[in-house]
Amino acid sequence: GRICMARKGSGRWKLRAAGIAALLALLGGAWLWWQMDHWQPPRSAYPLQGVEIGTVDGPVDWRVIKAVGADFAYLDATASAFARDDSFVHNLEEARAAKLQVGALHRFDPCQPAERQAANFATVVPRDSGLLPPAVELDMLAEDCPVKVSQSAIESELTTFLNQIETHTGKAAVLKITARFEQEYHIARRIDRNLWLVRTRFQPDYAGRPWMLWTANAQLATEAGGRLRWVVVQP
């Protein structure tokens, strides 16, 4: 009888210990989740910080975005040969009214001719010396193009596109390169432009050379509502 009672007592303690361990794991997970959601690189290390904003982010309060520490904003403007972000003009006006520096971003499509994409960008983004250098997002791969596109063709078309939008804006573009695009095409090593890399929480090193902009938290929770793509500048 004593042996049986001892086993029952031991079993209860094991259950309690397991329950405590599960609770601690849950609390630890919740703490990490909160930290990841609210984490921003320290201002002491990165004095200039900002956001990338587009229609996908829904309506935003630019005064609140300014209040939570944004110094600048890159606005999604165009994509491929015909797509345009419906909120670009409104966001441009509101961001400037909130005293943020503003730039425009184009999502490059390796399946579409450079001239059409550049014309799309130039139609939407005004000639304005007050704008930040244009940003070009390189994330879409050519594997789904209806007609096969070689790596040399992608590099050639991208170079043509950059030359045309740089003529329009009067400023050298910034290449926002994702890890998968760089792994596939090694563009960072082949085209000499300032880089914008993406990796939440940990500094990105996949380009093989220093970056200028870093999306440090792609899902930052703030009082502005929704989630912000939070970007910092290399000091």
Side-chain angles (χ1 to χ4, degrees):
R2 291 179 181 175
I3 294 173
C4 182
M5 288 296 293
R7 285 176 179 170
K8 286 181 180 179
S10 174
R12 280 196 290 268
W13 277 111
K14 286 180 180 178
L15 286 173
R16 287 178 185 173
I20 292 169
L23 179 59
L24 290 173
L26 185 64
L27 291 172
W31 181 84
L32 286 173
W33 174 81
W34 190 93
Q35 283 286 310
M36 192 64 74
D37 266 14
H38 295 80
W39 182 80
Q40 294 172 247
R43 185 75 57 169
S44 57
Y46 302 98
L48 285 176
Q49 305 197 12
V51 292
E52 179 187 346
I53 293 288
T55 297
V56 294
D57 301 297
V60 295
D61 188 328
W62 284 100
R63 292 169 299 177
V64 175
I65 288 178
K66 177 70 173 178
V68 298
D71 304 299
F72 65 90
Y74 266 96
L75 308 177
D76 297 341
T78 52
S80 190
F82 307 106
R84 299 171 182 180
D85 193 292
D86 294 335
S87 65
F88 175 75
V89 174
H90 174 76
N91 281 335
L92 180 60
E93 293 172 354
E94 293 295 312
R96 280 183 156 170
K99 308 299 183 187
L100 274 74
Q101 289 186 282
V102 186
L105 179 141
H106 174 85
R107 288 192 170 88
F108 185 78
D109 182 351
C111 306
Q112 289 289 336
E115 290 83 357
R116 291 181 184 174
Q117 297 194 62
N120 187 27
F121 182 87
T123 300
V124 173
V125 179
R127 288 182 186 269
D128 186 336
S129 60
L131 289 174
L132 295 171
V136 181
E137 182 178 274
L138 302 173
D139 180 55
M140 297 173 62
L141 305 182
E143 59 189 24
D144 296 325
C145 293
V147 178
K148 185 174 176 60
V149 181
S150 67
Q151 178 169 335
S152 61
I154 292 171
E155 185 176 343
S156 174
E157 288 295 296
L158 177 58
T159 300
T160 299
F161 173 79
L162 291 173
N163 289 336
Q164 292 189 7
I165 68 164
E166 288 170 349
T167 298
H168 176 72
T169 61
K171 296 179 180 178
V174 178
L175 301 182
K176 182 188 177 187
I177 307 179
T178 64
R180 71 170 189 164
F181 192 95
E182 180 60 20
Q183 184 177 9
E184 187 73 21
Y185 304 117
H186 309 292
I187 287 295
R189 298 167 176 81
R190 303 168 77 91
I191 296 182
D192 184 20
R193 295 293 192 285
N194 284 324
L195 299 180
W196 174 350
L197 304 183
V198 181
R199 188 184 182 193
T200 294
R201 189 79 188 230
F202 301 102
Q203 284 196 34
D205 56 5
Y206 56 82
R209 63 182 178 90
W211 46 267
M212 185 182 79
L213 294 170
W214 166 31
T215 300
N217 193 340
Q219 293 283 315
L220 178 67
T222 72
E223 296 87 344
R227 299 303 177 104
L228 297 177
R229 290 167 282 173
W230 198 255
V231 186
V232 301
V233 178
Q234 185 79 272

